């Protein structure tokens, strides 16, 4: 491995800056807020995260300066666990993949920090907000920069914690606190899968079952991503209960990814997570944390490529989620809920990408999604800000003229997510769908077509629900009450600045990954090539050819236009009457979509209620059986101690009393000797002396 | 004059003293009995001193003891009489039979 990477000493600074920011704001932030002012908390947080960005950019430039095969910076901080042949270090790696993630996290995260300064200015505990936000940046950077799976898991848990803290930021509201708990618990289920995957992986690499029993391997065990790229080959052929071990590991890890990245069946927490402050929704629940699952699969591409079954499951789940969430997005009335389901849907696209082996396309979509979805969320925050906290789009309308910057940036991001050329998602989503269509599936031959079909319908749906949102929110007459309408105003500069930058990135961000068809250099794919080339080489094209690719691309654009036209037809000019007429005709379907297919209710009935019933049953057992047993034990102890006490009282104490009484009785008689008369004593003394003399005489005589 | 005759006198003296100590009721009489016992012991010392050692170089230790005891007896008499005086002042009697405060 020597000569393939550079050892550097500064990567640890990238997560370190936000950690310091979090500590400063967390410990003395309240004091600064009171004594100096809220702006200082914001400045501290911003300085921390932008310092990270600059460091990351320096690392990125170093990478660019290297030969493609040597593009890897490693910063070994210290050895964390060293048990026998098992080595885990706290070390950070920046290769092309983690460089992309780091820049997205610090860059988009930095813009959201700037935006937050304006957004959170009216809150009571600004210091707490920025402390959490920086802590999140720290955990996320540990996640993406970690050199090994265990350290990644530390970051993985860290972002989960911060997500919980920030969703429940306004914990005075019980609903919001509950949403935080829901996110935490659902993520915990996923994390169980992740942890199980790690353990399976360790177990698989540490040895194997032979005819003589389990044999530990002799070699040094390592969770290092670069080392594992070679050592996972040892998993080939191993099985657990007749299933390939690689599949078991990949599926377990994917369960973790469905929790963190909100896929079926664990997506339910993400829409509820919108209870948090809007910039948090943009940063954690759209741009960065929820993409951790995609990143993890891309990071472990060499492992997933070993299990076509697991890949098929990932792609299938992604496609299903993409469509499922899009259809829920059709009917939601809360602006943030629409965007939340849109996020779930877009994450589905990313999983299609990594699931069909198009890791580059998946990561590319991850990046462009970070731009346009952050822009959309921040835009929605700006809208909510303007509407004095109103989130129901049916009570908005006609905002186009009143908050122009928000409108235009929102529109650009909408065009981007809908897949209109030349905006960002056109390139990334198209690449995913094309790869989904073209990559052969060795397990189920018709799988690519099914995935592609679901994805394409989801893309159509994306365009529809996004334009529905735009039309209802920004066009037509304002449906707000007089009071709110009077207050509508454009957001402060810090907020619009972030919006403009993100809108710009949503526009040009896709240009670095232009498909081969245009005969322009695909910088992004070229950049990630060193990470994925080995895995990519194992995939086979179905040989659909350039003509088909052109055709599909045109079809994608057609879908985007179709979605837009459908939305314009129904909601054009911000009208709701047509929509209501349609809804009246498909009342049943509408209700299913509006109530999110009753999945929450289903989980409540199938998982939560039985669980509560179980706890009640256990409580009953506790009260009636365990407590009785405890009481019985107590009663037995009491009885025994009573018995013991009686022995003490009557036998031991009795003996002691007898001795005492005897002595007292003896004293009563003996005291009479003490007459107090001097001459009685003298008599006794003389008698004694005489006795001694007599005795000594006698003894002398006998001797 | 033999040593036996002197020792006999001393023994008689000691017995009289002891009898006096054991039987007299008056504390001053008891004290006088004690003096008799001391002098009996003195007589013994002097007798042994005279009859041991050579002529012209008698054994001196016995006489030293005798002198010592006379001094001690004087001191003892002084302290004892003072105590008896204190007792009389407090109790109004020097009858030893009545002085049984230490009883029970």
């Amino acid at each position: 491995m020597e000569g393939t990477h550079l050892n550097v000493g500064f990567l640890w600074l990238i997560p370190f800056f936000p950690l310091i920011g979090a500590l400063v704001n967390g410990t003395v932030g309240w004091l600064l807020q009171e004594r100096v002012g809220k702006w200082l908390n914001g400045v501290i947080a911003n300085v921390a995260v932008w310092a990270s960005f600059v460091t990351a950019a320096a690392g990125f430039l170093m990478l660019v300066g290297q030969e493609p095969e040597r593009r890897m910076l490693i910063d070994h901080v210290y050895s964390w666990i060293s048990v026998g042949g098992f080595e885990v270090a706290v070390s950070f790696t920046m290769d092309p993949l983690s460089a992309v993630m780091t820049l997205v996290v610090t860059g988009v995260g930095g813009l959201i920090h700037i935006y937050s300064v304006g957004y959170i200015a009216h809150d009571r505990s600004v210091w707490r907000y920025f402390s959490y936000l920086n802590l999140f940046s720290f955990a996320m950077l540990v996640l993406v920069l970690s050199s090994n799976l265990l350290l990644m898991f530390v970051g993985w848990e860290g972002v989960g914690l911060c997500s919980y803290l920030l969703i429940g930021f306004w914990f005075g509201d019980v609903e919001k606190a509950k949403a935080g708990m829901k996110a935490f618990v659902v993520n915990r289920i996923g994390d169980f899968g992740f942890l199980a995957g790690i353990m399976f992986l360790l177990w698989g690499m540490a040895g194997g079952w032979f005819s003589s029993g389990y044999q530990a391997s002799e070699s040094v065990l390592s969770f290092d991503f670069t080392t594992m790229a070679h050592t996972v080959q040892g998993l080939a052929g191993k099985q657990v209960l007749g299933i390939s071990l690689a599949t078991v590991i990949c599926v377990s890890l994917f369960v973790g990814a469905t929790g963190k990245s909100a896929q079926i069946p664990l997506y339910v927490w993400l829409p509820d997570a919108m209870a948090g402050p809007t910039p948090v929704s943009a940063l954690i629940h759209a741009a960065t944390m929820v993409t951790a699952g995609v990143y993890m699969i891309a990071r472990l591409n060499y492992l997933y490529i070993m299990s076509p079954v697991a890949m098929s499951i990932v792609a299938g789940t992604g496609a299903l989620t993409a469509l499922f969430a899009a259809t829920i997005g059709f009917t939601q009335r809360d602006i943030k809920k629409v965007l939340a389901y849109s996020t779930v849907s877009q994450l589905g696209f990313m999983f299609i990408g990594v699931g069909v082996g198009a890791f580059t396309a998946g990561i590319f979509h991850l990046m462009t999604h970070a731009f346009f979805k952050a822009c959309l969320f921040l835009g929605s925050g700006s809208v909510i800000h303007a509407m004095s906290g109103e989130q129901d789009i049916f009570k908005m309308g006609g905002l186009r003229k009143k908050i122009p910057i928000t409108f235009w940036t929102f529109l650009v991001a909408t065009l981007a997510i809908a897949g209109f050329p030349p905006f960002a998602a056109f390139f990334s989503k198209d690449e995913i769908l094309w790869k989904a269509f073209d990559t052969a599936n060795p397990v189920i031959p018709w799988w690519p077509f099914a995935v592609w079909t679901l994805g394409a319908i989801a893309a159509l749906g994306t365009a529809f629900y996004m334009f529905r949102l735009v039309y209802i929110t920004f066009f037509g007459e304002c449906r707000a009450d007089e009071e709110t309408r009077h207050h509508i105003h454009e957001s402060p500069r810090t907020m619009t600045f972030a919006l403009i930058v993100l809108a710009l990135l949503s526009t040009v961000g896709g240009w670095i990954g232009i498909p081969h068809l245009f005969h322009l250099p695909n910088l992004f794919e070229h950049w990630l090539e060193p990470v994925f080339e080995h895995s990519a080489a194992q995939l086979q094209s179905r040989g659909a050819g350039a003509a088909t690719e052109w055709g599909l691309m045109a079809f994608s654009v057609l879908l985007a236009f179709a979605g837009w036209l459908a939305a314009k037809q129904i909601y054009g000019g911000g009208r709701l009457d047509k929509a209501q007429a349609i809804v009246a005709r498909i009342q049943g379907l509408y209700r299913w979509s509006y109530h999110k297919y009753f999945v929450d209710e289903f989980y409540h009935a199938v998982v939560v209620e039985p669980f509560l019933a179980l706890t009640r049953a256990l409580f009953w057992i506790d009260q009636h059986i365990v407590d009785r047993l405890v009481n019985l034990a107590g009663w037995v102890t009491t009885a025994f101690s009573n018995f013991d006490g009686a022995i003490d009282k009557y036998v031991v104490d009795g003996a002691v009393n007898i001795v005492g009484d005897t002595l007292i009785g003896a004293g009563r008689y003996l005291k009479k000797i003490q007459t107090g008369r001097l001459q009685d004593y003298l008599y006794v003394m003389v008698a004694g002396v005489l006795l001694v003399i007599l005795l000594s005489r006698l003894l002398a005589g006998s001797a | 004059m033999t040593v036996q005759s002197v020792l006999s006198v001393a023994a008689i003296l000691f017995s009289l003293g002891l009898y006096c100590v054991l039987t007299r009721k008056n504390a001053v009489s008891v004290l006088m009995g004690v003096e008799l016992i001391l002098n009996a012991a003195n007589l013994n010392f002097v007798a042994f001193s005279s009859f041991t050692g050579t002529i012209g170089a008698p054994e001196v230790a016995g006489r030293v003891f005798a002198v010592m005891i006379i001094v001690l007896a004087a001191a003892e008499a002084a302290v004892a009489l003072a105590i008896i005086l204190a007792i009389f002042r407090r109790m109004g009697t020097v009858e030893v039979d009545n002085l049984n405060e230490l009883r029970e």
Side-chain angles (χ1 to χ4, degrees), chain A residues 671 674-676 679 682-683, chain B residues 21-22 24 99-100 103-104:
Chain A
K671 74 180 176 188
Q674 308 290 334
T675 57
Q679 281 157 341
L682 282 174
Y683 276 122
Chain B
V21 166
L22 288 179
R24 303 303 293 192
L99 300 176
N100 54 0
R103 182 179 166 197
E104 204 174 348

Side-chain angles (χ1 to χ4, degrees), chain A residues 530-550:
Chain A
V531 186
F532 297 132
E533 60 185 346
H534 178 72
S535 302
Q538 299 187 28
L539 293 166
Q540 284 191 333
S541 163
R542 295 200 306 152
T548 320
E549 193 173 352
W550 278 113

